[in-house]
């Protein structure tokens, strides 16, 4: 998905377009980042491309 498509759905903060860390797949048990908890709770991992402004969500193992 493009950042623009996601922004229409979830209103991304400016930091999501600048910092790859915003898209980190952290330990769901210890992270304090709600966005990470959301996609991981749904069974996905995020892969970001800041240059192309896209993110791919893949089913986690």
């Amino acid at each position: 998905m493009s950042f623009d498509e996601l922004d229409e759905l979830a209103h991304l903060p400016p930091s999501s377009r600048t910092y790859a860390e915003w898209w980190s797949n952290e330990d769901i048990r210890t992270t304090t980042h709600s966005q990470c908890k959301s996609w991981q709770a749904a069974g996905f991992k995020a892969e970001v491309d800041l240059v192309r402004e896209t993110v791919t969500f893949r089913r986690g193992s």
Side-chain angles (χ1 to χ4, degrees):
M1 295 185 87
S2 72
F3 285 3
D4 289 339
E5 290 171 320
L6 280 170
D7 198 38
E8 286 183 26
L9 298 171
H11 306 290
L12 296 174
S15 58
S16 69
R17 294 176 179 263
T18 308
Y19 300 105
E21 293 82 4
W22 194 90
W23 300 98
S24 294
N25 297 297
E26 300 169 350
D27 186 331
I28 197 170
R29 296 167 294 170
T30 59
T31 187
T32 59
H33 299 118
S34 59
Q35 72 276 12
C36 174
K37 286 182 180 185
S38 295
W39 65 66
Q40 288 193 3
F44 291 90
K45 293 196 181 266
E47 297 174 9
V48 69
D49 184 332
L50 291 179
V51 174
R52 290 190 174 99
E53 293 193 335
T54 60
V55 63
T56 302
F57 294 100
R58 298 197 191 279
R59 287 269 177 210
S61 53

